[in-house]
Amino acid sequence: MILLELILFIVAGTICFIVSQILNWFDEKYPSKKEYVVPPRLRRGKIKADLDMILHSYQQGLLNEEQYLDQADELIDELADLLHKK
């Protein structure tokens, strides 16, 4: 009984893998013509989250001051551009 369950599990996994490969092949062969545009509100939230992550990394000592300032300046510029486009 356990052997049958293991075989069914392997067969189901194999089928899922094959289906994912076929879907990936179709996606590469027929790419979508419409590009997904991230709404400004979501981009603003992502930029703020990235700023928080950089600050946290700096506080933990993973980034030196120069790296922190460079990365933070880039993100702040992106956020300013996004806010001024409204």
Side-chain angles (χ1 to χ4, degrees):
M1 188 64 174
I2 294 176
L3 181 61
L4 179 63
E5 290 175 3
L6 288 174
I7 291 173
L8 289 175
F9 186 74
I10 291 172
V11 169
T14 304
I15 290 172
C16 290
F17 176 76
I18 291 171
V19 168
S20 72
Q21 292 299 313
I22 291 171
L23 292 176
N24 191 23
W25 178 75
F26 273 115
D27 191 38
E28 289 174 359
K29 188 171 181 179
Y30 305 108
S32 63
K33 292 179 174 86
K34 184 178 178 184
E35 290 289 325
Y36 178 72
V37 177
V38 178
R41 186 169 288 267
L42 293 179
R43 283 189 286 180
R44 185 173 63 194
K46 184 182 180 322
I47 292 171
K48 288 181 179 180
D50 289 344
L51 280 170
D52 289 340
M53 183 194 65
I54 291 171
L55 177 62
H56 187 67
S57 297
Y58 175 68
Q59 289 173 342
Q60 288 184 339
L62 300 174
L63 295 175
N64 62 26
E65 187 174 355
E66 183 179 332
Q67 291 172 328
Y68 167 71
L69 291 175
D70 289 341
Q71 292 179 12
D73 284 343
E74 289 177 19
L75 289 172
I76 290 171
D77 289 342
E78 282 183 42
L79 185 61
D81 290 342
L82 186 65
L83 293 175
H84 286 294
K85 285 183 181 179
K86 286 185 175 181

